[in-house]
Amino acid sequence: MSGAPMEAALLLAGVLFILGLISVLIRRNIIFMLISVEIMLNAAGLAFIVAGSRWVQPDGQVMFIFILTMAAAEVSVGLALILQIYHQLKTLDSDAASFMKG
Amino acid sequence: MILLWMIVILMAGGLLAWLSKKWHPELPRWIALFAVLADFILAVYLWLTLPAATLGASPWLLQLEIPWIPQWGVNFILALDGLSLLMLLLTFFLGILCVLVSWREIQTKSGFFHFNLMWVLAGITGVFLTLDLFLFYFFWEVMLIPMYFLIGIWGHANRTYAAFKFFLFTQASGLLMLLAILGLYFIHGSQTGTYTFNYFELLGTTLAPEAARLLMAGFLAAFLVKLPVVPFHSWLPDAHSEAPTAGSVVLAGLLLKTGAYGLLRFVLPLFPTAAVEFAPWAMLLGAVGIIYGAVMAYSQTDLKRLAAYTSVSHMGFVILGVFAFNVWALQGVVMQMIAHGLSTGALFIVAGLLYERLHTRDMGQMGGFWAKAPKLGVFAMVFVMASLGLPGLGNFIAEFLTLVGSWQANNWLTVIATIGIVLATAYSLRIMQKVFFEPAPTDHPLPDLSAREMLIAVPMIALILWLGLYPQPVLDTVQPSINQQLQAYQEPEVKEKVAVVEAVPKAELSIGKDKRGKTKVPL
Amino acid sequence: MENYIWLIPALPFLGSLLLILFGTRLSRAGVAILGVGSVGISALITILLGLQYLAEKPAFYHQEVWQWFNVAGFSPSIAFHLDALSIVFIFVITFVGFLIHLYSTAYMAEDMDFSRFFACMNLFVGSMLLLVMADNLLLLYFGWEGVGLCSYLLIGFWYKDPANGYAARKAFIITRVGDVAMAIGLFILFQTFGTLHIQTILSQAPEVWSVGAQAAVLVGLLLLGGAVGKSGQLPLQTWLPDAMAGPTPVSALIHAATMVTAGVYLIARMYVIFDLAPVAQMAVAVIGAVTLLLAGFSALTQYDLKRVLAYSTISQIGYMFLALGVGAWSAGIFHFMIHAFFKALLFLCAGAIILALHHEQDMRQMGGLRKSMPVVFWTFLIGAASLAALPLITAGFYSKDQILWYALAGPQGSIWLYLAGLVGAFITSVYTFRMVFMTFYGEPKTHVAHPPGKIITIPLVILAILSLVGGFIELPHNFAHVALFSGLMAPVLPGITANELLAANEWLFQVLAAVVSLGGVFVAYLFYQKSPALLASIERSSFAMALHRFWFSGWGFDALYDALIVRPYVFLANLNKRDIIDSFYTGLARTAEGFHVMISQTQSGVLRNYVAGVVVGAIMILTISLLL
């Protein structure tokens, strides 16, 4: 049962993660930031799957399901917050929401 | 059980006072008054009925022990000895005066005010009664927070600053004490296997010198700040001068005494060797405090600030006496706690009465009140004289005994402290001159004391005179406790005593106790 | 009678208490009856007790009223010890006090605060009695401070003038400096003897301390410090001239007859300590001698009638100290008694003059009063003669002669002390008669408004008689053998024997003293009566003017203390008014605030910055964990 080499899969996960991270950093639209976070989560999930199949352990898939549920919860809360922000500020620019400036 | 009732009455009275505001605006005052009065009567009843513990026997008159959090070794222990009894009497007496003095002064949120007042008093009562260190810390905090509100809500112009300052100083030092308490708890636990906060069990803990020093430093931090001793005093003038009159009276009359009480009750018996090591420094702090407070008091123009600095000066005598480790000094310290509670309380009341009438605390705006308000003048005169240590008033007995005792321990520091008496004269007379004698810069209408105010003034004057002329009942009440606190120091004490007694066998003979009328002593 | 001892101080205290409580509601007559009556009854009891004492000749009477307190063997009582020494003092306090109270009812009749005056006066008499009757030093200290309080209250009695308040505070604070020394002396005594009971200390001191023991000297000097403060001796004398701001009866009672002699009482009472401490005793004599000269010279230059008398009081107490210092205990006490008579008399006369001249105290505005106020003139003259120690007829001569004699011929006497006393005697009679000539002779300058009434003159006459005949109870032994006073004192205070060699020629020194005193009168007559131009020509030279200013200001002590102590103290206190220590804590708070400002910069509120922060942090942690 040999497929793609693990290194390649991990590399893919790493690239996905970095892509997500970079877009979180450079995007100002808060929806895109949320999508980027999703990409990062999925990158981490992919790494778990790969590692689980490599060591033939169910834990990797268990972790992925965890991540999925967590991501679902996060998205629902996140979207609710985004709606609120849009409602209040009439914009989705994350830099505009800087009320927490100390 | 009666001890628990004292605290419960105050706490419940406070809650009831708060709630009762809805029914009638005057009700909180009456409820508070009756709550404190009830406690005062209880305390007087205890004083009159409990037989004074005889010398040598256990000094504890009443004790109550209920398990509270047994898995941590926390018990609800209340115990009463002569020292705490006297402190309670003072607490309730001043408590009554606080309610009376706020009768007209406090008009906003009077329900919450009396709630806070009652809870401060409850906290103080708890501090004076409890012998479980955990509970002690608990009550220490209970008296802190309502006091913060008293200053912060009903204070004068700069009240927020003063309240914060008070809170930070007390809280920071209190936390150090908590650390020391926990340290003691764990050291004792690891030595004996029983983890407990019980004072009696902790008393016997043997401590390595290093540990003892650190733990004592923790306790000292809380007590020296509260007392206050000079480098840590700077919260006091702000808190005292910004607080409402009742707050100032509680602060000066009672909260400071908890510091002194803590020194006597905890520091001396728990850390005998470390305390002896620290004694010269402590006495130095005391002497410095006496002088520094007096000099500071002299330069103040704000009447309440002046009175606040006199407290710093007078509390110097307390620490000077506590660390002299002998009966005279400790008796003097206890007398000082009571007499100072009355005398400074009275000075703050005078300041409060003047503020109520003039809406200023600036002595530059006062003057000529002797002619306008002679009763107020006499009231002030008596307590100004008390604060400069005039014989016949309680403070003299206190200061003289303290100095006699501290002389045995350290000559030079006692000399410095005695010089403080001259400085005390300077600032005390300045009050009389500026406020009462000097011609007034502006003409204020100044009504003399009302009946309610006479009800405050007359008992205070009577008490301070009684303390000055016949202090024996007070001294007798506290004697067993003092012996108890001094137990760890008895060894050198006995030697000294023998030396004195050998020197004066005749003295004992010729001034025997119950000689009345004509006695002819052979010359 | 001895069971009523406690009434002697209790009655004035009671009077004072009643006057404080109900004084404003009583009529003036009621206040006067209460105020004068309480002291009068005390005086009566004292006289009866004194007569009984003379008849019975017990060692002493003792009465304990209650035990003050008892702490580990320190057990002072409110108890009274009456021996000859205290009885003399009590007699003077109550009797002279009574006369002055009586006089005050007229003197203060117009005053608004009539009852307050008598309340304070009664309180004073009570405290003073406590002082001299106490059987232990703590009770003595009680009275000691009590009289200080009353002195403060009465000097500042007319409080509307801030200068009076200043004088009052000055008096209280300066005497308290002495009290500190005394208190420390008490600490040492207690540490050594375990008690403050006077008789116990006196009987044990010789066993515990050898002569010249360091502790004894120290205690002696410290007690002397207290005495010096209270008695207005060098270097704490500056308060007494200013104390004249009080009403004149106050000056007569407190600052002439009684309170200022408390120091004399203390030293005489503790004579054993001074016997054991020759250095301290010598210090007493030297302080007395120097003070009597300094104050005498200052008295020469004053224009205020009361200030002359004040300096004279300092000077006369200097004589008492001189007597005590050379061991002539009984002579010192004798001079105290006589001085109380004539100085009270002089003050009361001065008061009568001041009242008659609408509170004019400047002698340059007086003159010619001999005719308009004959009773006052004659009584004042008697008092002045006694103060100047005119020979044979006045009591002052006998008491002062004794002091001069023992200052020379006593075992501790010396020629220098004698000379100081002699020069002092000369100055005394100069300034005394300067006063007489300036006030009573010459042209009238101010109109006499109210001639004094009976209530004023009766005490004057009684005191004048005492100032004359008081001396006859103690005559020099080469005159006639009358030694009633020293006989009375003999059981309490040790006697003194004169140097044999000098004793043979005692009369020579008596004549010398008489000549000096008469010479002083003559000089005063010359300068102030016969040829004032002579004096004016002397005073015109710049040296004399400078000297005059210097003496007038009391040898510059006030300026010195002001510059050395008062001003630096006030300056430092005001400099630190905002409390330097507090700035440490505010500094701490500022620093915390500064950090807060710095760190809160990082809280930009921009989400992406935070993410970047997280990333950088994660990378750093990863790097570090990889490197390690």
Side-chain angles (χ1 to χ4, degrees):
Chain A
M1 177 156 162
S2 71
M6 188 187 68
E7 287 77 14
L10 280 184
L11 194 67
L12 175 63
V15 168
L16 272 176
F17 189 87
I18 303 271
L19 278 174
L21 183 61
I22 289 171
S23 61
V24 167
L25 286 174
I26 61 172
R27 283 286 177 175
R28 290 167 69 173
N29 190 312
I30 213 159
I31 292 187
F32 278 100
M33 290 171 82
L34 195 65
I35 291 170
S36 313
V37 171
E38 288 303 312
I39 292 173
M40 285 159 73
L41 283 171
N42 284 315
L46 179 61
F48 272 114
I49 296 285
V50 171
S53 76
R54 168 69 180 77
W55 301 107
V56 201
Q57 291 283 332
D59 305 21
Q61 295 178 25
V62 170
M63 283 310 291
F64 185 65
I65 291 169
F66 263 130
I67 289 174
L68 272 186
T69 38
M70 200 202 74
E74 182 240 313
V75 165
S76 60
V77 174
L79 281 174
L81 282 174
I82 288 170
L83 279 177
Q84 275 301 315
I85 287 173
Y86 187 71
H87 190 68
Q88 303 260 327
L89 304 177
K90 308 290 176 214
T91 174
L92 285 176
D93 184 350
S94 74
D95 289 3
S98 61
F99 299 122
M100 298 293 274
K101 187 175 186 335
Chain B
M1 233 19 222
I2 201 164
L3 302 179
L4 185 60
W5 275 110
M6 286 189 184
I7 299 174
V8 168
I9 287 174
L10 286 176
M11 290 188 161
L15 283 172
L16 202 60
W18 193 3
L19 294 174
S20 67
K21 180 71 191 283
K22 282 182 203 142
W23 303 319
H24 193 279
E26 289 296 301
L27 213 49
R29 304 181 198 284
W30 287 103
I31 290 175
L33 184 64
F34 278 111
V36 197
L37 202 60
D39 265 4
F40 184 64
I41 292 168
L42 274 181
V44 171
Y45 169 78
L46 282 182
W47 195 28
L48 294 179
T49 52
L50 289 178
T54 42
L55 290 172
S58 162
W60 301 101
L61 305 171
L62 277 181
Q63 218 166 329
L64 170 79
E65 192 167 345
I66 306 167
W68 187 18
I69 316 177
Q71 54 271 49
W72 293 352
V74 177
N75 292 301
F76 195 90
I77 307 175
L78 299 179
L80 184 85
D81 69 346
L83 177 60
S84 29
L85 180 56
L86 287 177
M87 290 298 114
L88 288 187
L89 284 166
L90 180 71
T91 306
F92 302 138
F93 180 73
L94 288 181
I96 295 171
L97 298 185
C98 285
V99 176
L100 286 177
V101 89
S102 312
W103 210 268
R104 291 267 170 279
E105 186 188 340
I106 304 298
Q107 294 297 346
T108 50
K109 297 186 194 154
S110 61
F112 190 48
F113 176 85
H114 286 93
F115 167 76
N116 281 315
L117 187 60
M118 290 300 105
W119 276 64
V120 173
L121 292 176
I124 294 168
T125 311
V127 162
F128 287 144
L129 280 178
T130 184
L131 283 182
D132 183 276
L133 290 181
F134 189 88
L135 198 60
F136 180 75
Y137 183 76
F138 169 75
F139 281 121
W140 193 261
E141 295 294 312
V142 167
M143 65 183 189
L144 168 62
I145 291 158
M147 194 68 227
Y148 169 78
F149 285 126
L150 283 183
I151 303 173
I153 299 179
W154 293 275
H156 300 298
N158 202 10
R159 55 179 177 266
T160 326
Y161 171 76
F164 264 113
K165 202 169 179 181
F166 164 75
F167 189 83
L168 284 178
F169 269 83
T170 335
Q171 183 66 354
S173 60
L175 285 174
L176 289 177
M177 178 174 76
L178 180 64
L179 278 183
I181 290 176
L182 290 176
L184 192 64
Y185 171 72
F186 284 116
I187 290 177
H188 180 263
S190 65
Q191 274 176 6
T192 60
T194 47
Y195 284 87
T196 176
F197 285 102
N198 189 329
Y199 170 79
F200 296 108
E201 293 186 33
L202 291 175
L203 267 185
T205 316
T206 46
L207 294 165
E210 204 48 45
R213 257 174 248 148
L214 275 175
L215 292 180
M216 187 180 74
F219 277 93
L220 281 180
F223 300 144
L224 295 194
V225 168
K226 202 69 151 201
L227 198 53
V229 161
V230 145
F232 315 113
H233 67 282
S234 87
W235 63 271
L236 182 135
D238 288 312
H240 279 51
S241 54
E242 294 302 328
T245 309
S248 306
V249 173
V250 170
L251 269 174
L254 301 172
L255 281 203
L256 307 191
K257 309 304 175 292
T258 59
Y261 175 84
L263 287 177
L264 283 175
R265 178 71 82 216
F266 296 106
V267 174
L268 285 198
L270 283 173
F271 313 105
T273 41
V276 170
E277 277 174 15
F278 182 61
W281 297 104
M283 290 178 79
L284 179 68
L285 286 179
V288 169
I290 292 169
I291 302 290
Y292 192 82
V295 176
M296 288 306 301
Y298 185 80
S299 66
Q300 301 305 314
T301 45
D302 177 333
L303 185 55
K304 285 182 91 172
R305 250 186 128 73
L306 196 162
Y309 276 111
T310 68
S311 288
V312 175
S313 183
H314 285 135
M315 288 296 106
F317 283 100
V318 167
I319 185 159
L320 186 79
V322 166
F323 285 90
F325 310 121
N326 59 50
V327 181
W328 302 296
L330 287 195
Q331 284 281 20
V333 165
V334 174
M335 275 304 281
Q336 178 78 335
M337 286 159 76
I338 299 168
H340 174 264
L342 287 173
S343 71
T344 308
L347 286 184
F348 278 116
I349 289 176
V350 168
L353 296 177
L354 287 172
Y355 186 83
E356 229 175 291
R357 291 160 164 76
L358 311 169
H359 302 288
T360 179
R361 310 187 311 256
D362 183 3
M363 292 201 295
Q365 312 236 353
M366 302 179 186
F369 298 161
W370 185 264
K372 285 182 195 162
K375 288 176 194 161
L376 181 61
V378 170
F379 179 43
M381 176 68 88
V382 169
F383 285 97
V384 160
M385 288 304 146
S387 104
L388 64 76
L390 193 82
L393 303 171
N395 300 50
F396 169 72
I397 308 279
E399 282 167 22
F400 199 87
L401 277 176
T402 309
L403 290 171
V404 159
S406 71
W407 176 264
Q408 324 281 329
N410 193 323
N411 294 354
W412 283 110
L413 291 176
T414 309
V415 170
I416 294 175
T418 316
I419 290 170
I421 291 179
V422 178
L423 306 184
T425 318
Y427 68 65
S428 302
L429 297 185
R430 193 162 157 268
I431 300 179
M432 286 316 289
Q433 179 67 19
K434 285 269 173 209
V435 178
F436 289 97
F437 293 145
E438 223 154 73
T442 46
D443 199 32
H444 302 283
L446 190 83
D448 207 350
L449 297 184
S450 68
R452 171 180 60 90
E453 288 155 348
M454 285 302 274
L455 197 64
I456 299 171
V458 172
M460 292 193 95
I461 293 177
L463 261 184
I464 199 90
L465 270 171
W466 175 57
L467 284 176
L469 292 175
Y470 190 59
Q472 199 59 40
V474 172
L475 300 172
D476 283 344
T477 307
V478 81
Q479 187 65 46
S481 326
I482 283 181
N483 290 343
Q484 172 89 353
Q485 317 306 337
L486 277 177
Q487 241 167 25
Y489 307 87
Q490 280 308 316
E491 296 302 299
E493 191 65 20
V494 168
K495 267 184 220 155
E496 257 177 47
K497 274 256 191 72
V498 169
V500 170
V501 168
E502 270 173 359
V504 284
K506 277 185 205 161
E508 310 284 318
L509 279 176
S510 57
I511 46 166
K513 270 185 198 169
D514 296 307
K515 235 180 267 177
R516 274 183 183 275
K518 189 168 107 183
T519 40
K520 296 192 176 176
V521 184
L523 268 172
Chain C
M1 208 63 221
E2 65 264 28
N3 289 331
Y4 299 110
I5 290 175
W6 64 276
L7 277 174
I8 298 175
L11 283 171
F13 275 129
L14 186 70
S16 169
L17 187 69
L18 292 176
L19 286 172
I20 291 171
L21 292 179
F22 310 113
T24 48
R25 274 172 242 167
L26 288 173
S27 68
R28 276 174 189 250
V31 170
I33 289 169
L34 201 57
V36 181
S38 62
V39 181
I41 299 173
S42 277
L44 206 64
I45 297 176
T46 309
I47 290 170
L48 292 176
L49 194 73
L51 290 176
Q52 185 190 331
Y53 182 87
L54 290 176
E56 282 183 9
K57 296 257 180 226
F60 55 82
Y61 297 122
H62 185 269
Q63 185 177 31
E64 174 168 323
V65 186
W66 75 81
Q67 177 153 52
W68 198 354
F69 59 84
N70 180 1
V71 177
F74 180 23
S75 52
S77 290
I78 307 284
F80 304 122
H81 173 94
L82 257 72
D83 56 12
L85 177 62
S86 346
I87 286 177
V88 169
F89 271 85
I90 297 166
F91 169 70
V92 169
I93 294 161
T94 54
F95 186 68
V96 176
F98 168 69
L99 292 178
I100 294 173
H101 272 72
L102 188 65
Y103 172 97
S104 309
T105 56
Y107 189 87
M108 303 297 290
E110 306 287 308
D111 203 277
M112 269 176 40
D113 290 313
F114 196 62
S115 70
R116 179 162 65 92
F117 180 80
F118 279 99
C120 294
M121 290 288 268
N122 272 6
L123 190 63
F124 169 78
V125 172
S127 307
M128 190 71 206
L129 288 168
L130 217 53
L131 195 166
V132 296
M133 292 168 77
D135 89 327
N136 63 74
L137 284 167
L138 198 69
L139 188 60
L140 188 150
Y141 192 78
F142 186 165
W144 191 268
E145 296 283 337
V147 294
L149 166 69
C150 300
S151 160
Y152 162 76
L153 291 174
L154 286 164
I155 294 170
F157 183 77
W158 287 316
Y159 55 87
K160 294 214 167 78
D161 183 357
N164 295 353
Y166 178 78
R169 278 177 298 150
K170 185 175 172 185
F172 205 162
I173 293 171
I174 292 181
T175 49
R176 275 224 139 185
V177 174
D179 297 352
V180 164
M182 180 170 161
I184 295 169
L186 300 196
F187 302 154
I188 301 179
L189 284 173
F190 177 72
Q191 194 183 23
T192 316
F193 298 99
T195 177
L196 287 178
H197 188 249
I198 294 171
Q199 297 308 318
T200 315
I201 292 176
L202 293 187
S203 63
Q204 287 184 4
E207 297 161 28
V208 179
W209 288 328
S210 56
V211 173
Q214 210 178 359
V217 173
L218 193 60
V219 170
L221 289 176
L222 287 168
L223 292 181
L224 173 62
V228 156
K230 214 42 145 200
S231 292
Q233 298 293 290
L234 218 65
L236 299 178
Q237 81 287 27
T238 57
W239 64 271
L240 190 52
D242 287 352
M244 296 301 124
T248 311
V250 172
S251 312
L253 179 62
I254 301 185
H255 304 115
T258 55
M259 186 191 86
V260 286
T261 52
V264 177
Y265 174 79
L266 179 70
I267 294 175
R269 182 45 88 205
M270 303 306 289
Y271 74 95
V272 176
I273 307 280
F274 289 89
D275 266 350
L276 290 171
V279 179
Q281 200 180 4
M282 188 42 78
V284 175
V286 171
I287 284 178
V290 176
T291 309
L292 77 87
L293 281 178
L294 258 51
F297 281 114
S298 284
L300 274 178
T301 58
Q302 303 298 320
Y303 294 114
D304 182 327
L305 183 57
K306 284 179 72 181
R307 278 182 91 88
V308 178
L309 290 172
Y311 277 112
S312 155
T313 303
I314 300 177
S315 170
Q316 294 303 307
I317 295 170
Y319 275 105
M320 297 174 211
F321 270 56
L322 176 62
L324 301 178
V326 297
W329 305 103
S330 149
I333 303 304
F334 188 49
H335 192 57
F336 147 75
M337 187 175 82
I338 303 298
H339 172 255
F341 296 148
F342 67 67
K343 192 51 70 62
L345 169 63
L346 287 172
F347 265 114
L348 294 185
C349 288
I353 295 166
I354 290 165
L355 199 63
L357 301 182
H358 289 292
H359 291 272
E360 177 58 66
Q361 304 196 2
D362 192 330
M363 290 195 291
R364 287 169 295 189
Q365 305 302 321
M366 299 174 183
L369 296 175
R370 182 164 47 110
K371 301 230 174 60
S372 46
M373 303 171 80
V375 181
V376 176
F377 168 65
W378 283 108
T379 49
F380 193 91
L381 193 66
I382 291 169
S386 200
L387 172 58
L390 293 192
L392 300 182
I393 48 164
T394 65
F397 172 72
Y398 297 107
S399 63
K400 200 181 281 179
D401 174 63
Q402 240 188 353
I403 294 174
L404 287 176
W405 170 237
Y406 289 119
L408 177 70
Q412 279 123 312
S414 86
I415 183 78
W416 297 108
L417 294 176
Y418 175 73
L419 279 179
L422 204 63
V423 173
F426 176 72
I427 301 168
T428 306
S429 72
V430 175
Y431 69 67
T432 309
F433 278 86
R434 167 177 176 261
M435 215 160 41
V436 172
F437 290 126
M438 284 181 84
T439 315
F440 291 98
Y441 288 83
E443 291 303 307
K445 292 179 188 116
T446 310
H447 174 67
V448 175
H450 336 268
K454 281 265 185 317
I455 299 180
I456 290 203
T457 49
I458 288 171
L460 297 185
V461 173
I462 298 175
L463 285 171
I465 293 169
L466 283 172
S467 303
L468 285 181
V469 303
F472 296 129
I473 58 171
E474 179 83 11
L475 294 177
H477 57 92
N478 54 355
F479 274 32
H481 200 74
V482 180
L484 290 175
F485 193 82
S486 49
L488 183 67
M489 285 296 147
V492 190
L493 294 169
I496 181 168
T497 45
N499 186 326
E500 300 265 325
L501 259 169
L502 292 164
N505 299 317
E506 189 179 347
W507 63 272
L508 203 67
F509 295 100
Q510 281 159 347
V511 169
L512 191 59
V515 167
V516 160
S517 141
L518 289 171
V521 178
F522 175 71
V523 169
Y525 171 72
L526 193 67
F527 281 160
Y528 293 95
Q529 184 61 21
K530 186 140 180 288
S531 49
L534 191 63
L535 179 72
S537 70
I538 295 172
E539 276 187 341
R540 226 168 283 131
S541 76
S542 63
F543 175 71
M545 271 163 79
L547 198 63
H548 185 276
R549 262 203 307 277
F550 187 53
W551 286 348
F552 186 76
S553 68
W555 297 73
F557 275 98
D558 270 326
L560 185 73
Y561 292 159
D562 213 36
L564 276 186
I565 299 165
V566 179
R567 251 181 258 213
Y569 178 73
V570 174
F571 175 75
L572 280 178
N574 283 330
L575 193 69
N576 193 25
K577 186 180 168 191
R578 304 198 63 83
D579 200 346
I580 188 101
I581 294 176
D582 193 36
S583 56
F584 169 74
Y585 293 105
T586 39
L588 213 61
R590 288 274 147 71
T591 320
E593 226 168 296
F595 275 117
H596 156 75
V597 169
M598 265 165 60
I599 294 173
S600 68
Q601 299 286 322
T602 61
Q603 186 99 359
S604 61
V606 180
L607 190 58
R608 293 179 305 145
N609 292 2
Y610 298 166
V611 177
V614 171
V615 171
V616 171
I619 290 172
M620 272 171 64
I621 291 170
L622 277 176
T623 325
I624 290 169
S625 59
L626 282 178
L627 285 177
L628 295 177

